[in-house]
Amino acid sequence: MTINDFVPVDKPLFEEKESDQKHHLHDLVEEKELNAESTTESTANTNEKLTEKITKLDSGLEIEVAQEEEQELEMEVKTTPVDEVSKLSDQLVEDFGEFDPRLELGQYQFPTIDLLKDYTNGQNNITIDQEELEGNKNRIVETLKNYKIEIAHIKATIGPTVTLYEIVPEAGVRISKIKNLEDDIALSLAALGIRIIAPMPGKGTIGIEVPNKKSTIVSMHSAIKASKFQNAEMELPISFGKTISNETFVVDLVKMPHLLMAGATGQGKSVGLNAILTSILYKKHPAEVKFVLVDPKKVELTLYNKIERHFLAKLPDSEEAIITDNSKVINTLNSLCIEMDARYELLKNAYVRNIKEYNEKFKKRQLNPENGHRYLPYIVLVVDEFADLIMTAGKEVETPIARLAQLARAIGIHLIIATQRPSVNVITGMIKANFPARVAFRVMSKIDSRTILDAGGADQLIGRGDMLYTNGNNLVRIQCAFVDTPEVEKITNYIGAQKAYADAHLLPEYVGEDGGGTNLDIDKADRDKLFKEAAEVIVTAQQGSASLIQRKLKLGYNRAGRIIDQLEAAGIVGQFEGSKARQVLVPDLVELERILENE
């Protein structure tokens, strides 16, 4: 039996398939030839067209552009609204020049350097006492030798009030061993405020700071006159004074962006604040910066009243620009928060990230004033005694300050806060986290030093303007520039005598607890959670006073005052009558229940 008996082989079928394949191959070849011919024809046609165009061009004829090319050309030429705005702004700049914020006070003259007193008579006279230097050097080496610490090299850098001795110990000496000898070195030198820096950042040495027996005054005159300050390309430059190496120390407030100052009474805080304000007055035009001054002591910053219409900002209904009443501080801080939100809205609409970019765009006339855009000056809030505010207002001050510190950097609001009590209930963690730049004058204890600087050292300063500055990196010891009250008076008189704006820079209106707050509290939904309890307390005692609510419900003064206003709006107590308690208009609790139910 063969395989053919089971599987019949159909030979014609295979032959047919082979012939089909041959035909298919033949068709493919023909198709390729046709494609090649068509390609050749199209190429030839294109060449003919090109030749025709070239001949037309040679003969000086106009070339007709195909319809498709015309559409593409139209798409390229089509302008966007952004291009139109930039063309319009360029045209305005060409016609009128860039917007000049200084134009309104175009004749303004900056204060002259001769208004400041020069204590050095024009000489950079740091007196070098060779005997003192040699004596201190020998005592340091001798003290370390007593504890079997050998010194390879020692170098002295003389500053205005402090001399820095840099020592390089022999190999194998532990740094902590030298650090622990701080009190022994102070004893051998018989000097106040010895400070050991072990190791010196980026130097590979150990620093021992020893106060000079005869200190030199660093005048504000020399700090302002220094080329480092005069040529500083900073937005808000501050000349603090001179470092140990006798260099003028200049920083930018915008880069800080907020500054926290602390120090015991009489160690130079108020002089430091005056040095900061003087630096800015010497460099900035009234159109470019405004100050909000808070002075609970009422005497430290009063001299700046003379420049109210030049440099100060205030609330619309406020009589005085310098705030001395703690109850008005809350309104001002909340007003600054409103200004901050408004500025952020302007920045968002202008598609920029910070005040510098925004003002550049506004100067180039790329932002339309009809849409609410305006030139934004920097605003510097200065608080001279923060501890007093925290004691009287507490959270109501801390919350807006923390909010400003977190957000206000980009829109040009900067905070400078000074306090003589750097304890943790005054300088809370929320505030410290948002104030990277710190200045510490002499404090009384190591705990205070750690609170303000997160490091020791401020308790070992010698006072009278001796300060430590940090911006999150290493500590810098500076002798703060001395500016006296007569000098500040001369500067403010010089500026105040010139042409000014019609009024101080007005901040947005904020309706607080005192003025007009009653109208807002008529709405039942806005009432305090403790409104009913407070009403019952008042009606039971028949005495309408905020202090009673404070005592009974354990509330702060501001919240109690707000509840009293709400009770007045509800008709439970009468109007404010000065020092007397308000009249209670509801005789008993039954009548109170009826009034509250019928509302």
Side-chain angles (χ1 to χ4, degrees):
M1 188 181 283
T2 61
I3 198 166
N4 290 337
D5 295 330
F6 298 98
V7 185
V9 180
D10 195 355
K11 282 186 180 176
L13 182 67
F14 285 105
E15 286 170 10
E16 208 170 333
K17 280 182 179 177
E18 279 178 22
S19 63
D20 283 349
Q21 283 176 356
K22 285 176 184 175
H23 285 304
H24 182 63
L25 285 166
H26 184 69
D27 290 343
L28 281 169
V29 171
E30 280 184 352
E31 198 178 326
K32 280 183 180 178
E33 284 173 359
L34 282 166
N35 286 340
E37 282 174 17
S38 63
T39 309
T40 314
E41 280 176 21
S42 64
T43 311
N45 290 338
T46 310
N47 289 337
E48 280 175 23
K49 282 179 183 177
L50 281 168
T51 314
E52 194 176 330
K53 282 184 179 181
I54 290 161
T55 50
K56 281 182 181 179
L57 192 66
D58 290 336
S59 58
L61 291 169
E62 286 185 5
I63 298 168
E64 280 189 9
V65 183
Q67 190 64 34
E68 284 182 9
E69 290 179 8
E70 202 173 279
Q71 284 177 353
E72 284 174 15
L73 196 67
E74 281 175 12
M75 283 169 71
E76 285 172 14
V77 172
K78 195 174 180 183
T79 56
T80 60
V82 176
D83 293 333
E84 288 174 13
V85 169
S86 62
K87 277 182 183 175
L88 183 62
S89 62
D90 290 344
Q91 188 61 45
L92 284 168
V93 170
E94 197 177 313
D95 293 346
F96 304 104
E98 285 193 357
F99 174 79
D100 185 9
R102 301 183 176 192
L103 197 62
E104 195 174 340
L105 294 184
Q107 302 299 315
Y108 175 79
Q109 298 287 320
F110 285 88
T112 55
I113 195 75
D114 58 356
L115 296 172
L116 295 167
K117 188 177 177 183
D118 185 8
Y119 292 91
T120 59
N121 300 320
Q123 298 173 359
N124 190 8
N125 59 345
I126 287 183
T127 52
I128 300 170
D129 189 340
Q130 206 65 39
E131 283 183 22
E132 187 188 338
L133 281 176
E134 280 296 320
N136 285 344
K137 186 193 85 168
N138 293 335
R139 282 192 205 100
I140 289 169
V141 174
E142 192 181 326
T143 306
L144 293 173
K145 265 187 182 175
N146 291 341
Y147 292 92
K148 296 184 175 62
I149 297 170
E150 294 293 328
I151 302 297
H153 176 67
I154 186 162
K155 182 182 96 172
T157 307
I158 303 157
T161 54
V162 175
T163 300
L164 172 67
Y165 295 89
E166 289 181 63
I167 60 171
V168 179
E170 292 283 2
V173 175
R174 295 175 69 88
I175 291 175
S176 59
K177 202 172 177 184
I178 299 173
K179 183 76 175 162
N180 293 336
L181 296 175
E182 200 164 328
D183 294 335
D184 299 284
I185 294 167
L187 180 67
S188 69
L189 294 173
L192 171 76
I194 298 284
R195 186 167 158 263
I196 293 180
I197 310 150
M200 292 280 289
K203 284 193 176 180
T205 59
I206 294 168
I208 301 173
E209 292 175 347
V210 181
N212 298 337
K213 284 179 181 172
K214 189 180 178 185
S215 59
T216 310
I217 292 176
V218 176
S219 64
M220 199 69 211
H221 182 279
S222 62
I224 295 291
K225 198 177 180 181
S227 58
K228 198 171 181 182
F229 177 75
Q230 292 294 334
N231 304 328
E233 292 184 4
M234 298 176 180
E235 293 299 311
L236 293 173
I238 295 169
S239 185
F240 268 123
K242 293 197 173 177
T243 60
I244 286 179
S245 54
N246 206 32
E247 292 176 3
T248 305
F249 189 80
V250 182
V251 285
D252 191 357
L253 181 59
V254 172
K255 296 275 173 66
M256 282 185 188
H258 310 293
L259 179 64
L260 194 58
M261 298 174 76
T265 308
Q267 302 302 323
K269 284 191 313 300
S270 295
V271 173
L273 283 176
N274 281 328
I276 290 169
L277 294 172
T278 303
S279 300
I280 296 171
L281 291 176
Y282 264 90
K283 286 292 272 189
K284 303 305 285 184
H285 189 274
E288 296 168 335
V289 66
K290 301 292 176 187
F291 297 113
V292 177
L293 303 180
V294 179
D295 183 18
K297 293 185 203 168
K298 302 184 181 180
V299 292
E300 296 293 349
L301 301 173
T302 45
L303 288 170
Y304 296 97
N305 264 324
K306 295 172 185 174
I307 57 169
E308 177 182 330
R309 292 190 296 142
H310 292 86
F311 280 102
L312 301 191
K314 66 175 185 179
L315 290 171
D317 57 343
S318 179
E319 291 177 15
E320 289 186 359
I322 296 173
I323 305 153
T324 54
D325 183 4
N326 288 346
S327 61
K328 290 180 182 175
V329 176
I330 298 155
N331 291 0
T332 306
L333 291 173
N334 285 304
S335 173
L336 282 172
C337 288
I338 295 167
E339 173 72 9
M340 177 181 75
D341 294 334
R343 286 188 173 201
Y344 266 118
E345 194 65 32
L346 290 175
L347 261 65
K348 185 186 84 173
N349 295 336
Y351 302 102
V352 292
R353 292 184 62 193
N354 57 50
I355 187 172
K356 192 176 179 183
E357 291 174 14
Y358 179 88
N359 283 339
E360 283 295 324
K361 221 170 181 182
F362 190 83
K363 282 181 184 177
K364 290 176 182 172
R365 302 185 185 271
Q366 293 173 3
L367 301 171
N368 191 350
E370 289 180 7
N371 298 335
H373 291 294
R374 64 187 195 276
Y375 183 83
L376 301 178
Y378 285 97
I379 296 175
V380 180
L381 169 67
V382 180
V383 181
D384 189 27
E385 189 42 75
F386 187 59
D388 193 44
L389 291 183
I390 290 290
M391 283 171 67
T392 52
K395 285 281 181 189
E396 292 187 76
V397 164
E398 189 188 339
T399 305
I401 278 190
R403 190 160 179 259
L404 286 167
Q406 285 168 347
L407 297 170
R409 173 190 59 81
I411 45 83
I413 298 176
H414 301 280
L415 279 61
I416 299 169
I417 289 176
T419 179
Q420 63 184 11
R421 204 182 70 199
S423 53
V424 287
N425 60 335
V426 175
I427 302 170
T428 59
M430 175 75 79
I431 289 171
K432 273 178 75 174
N434 295 296
F435 282 78
R438 321 257 176 87
V439 164
F441 292 89
R442 192 183 177 202
V443 294
M444 292 297 108
S445 69
K446 279 185 167 62
I447 295 166
D448 287 349
S449 177
R450 288 197 187 98
T451 304
I452 182 71
L453 294 173
D454 294 325
D459 55 311
Q460 295 163 319
L461 299 174
I462 57 172
R464 295 174 62 84
D466 190 16
M467 63 181 240
L468 290 170
Y469 169 84
T470 178
N471 198 3
N473 305 321
N474 54 315
L475 295 171
V476 183
R477 192 166 183 175
I478 305 162
Q479 178 60 39
C480 183
F482 178 67
V483 53
D484 205 1
T485 308
E487 296 171 70
V488 176
E489 194 172 2
K490 280 182 188 174
I491 294 164
T492 52
N493 284 339
Y494 183 86
I495 295 170
Q498 299 184 51
K499 182 189 172 187
Y501 295 108
D503 198 3
H505 180 78
L506 295 179
L507 297 171
E509 190 172 359
Y510 174 77
V511 182
E513 298 81 39
D514 306 331
T518 313
N519 298 332
L520 288 175
D521 296 327
I522 290 171
D523 188 1
K524 197 175 175 182
D526 290 340
R527 280 181 183 168
D528 196 283
K529 289 177 184 176
L530 297 175
F531 174 81
K532 191 177 179 184
E533 288 90 329
E536 288 169 357
V537 167
I538 292 290
V539 172
T540 305
Q542 286 293 302
Q543 180 188 344
S545 71
S547 58
L548 179 69
I549 295 174
Q550 275 182 275
R551 291 196 307 276
K552 294 287 185 185
L553 301 179
K554 296 177 183 175
L555 301 178
Y557 174 76
N558 293 288
R559 190 176 177 187
R562 197 158 51 239
I563 291 172
I564 284 286
D565 287 341
Q566 291 167 359
L567 291 169
E568 183 191 340
I572 295 166
V573 297
Q575 289 185 342
F576 179 67
E577 296 177 18
S579 59
K580 286 199 291 182
R582 293 175 188 243
Q583 184 185 355
V584 181
L585 305 175
V586 179
D588 52 33
L589 292 173
V590 177
E591 181 69 17
L592 176 67
E593 283 294 331
R594 190 187 63 76
I595 289 170
L596 294 175
E597 281 173 12
N598 293 338
E599 278 184 335

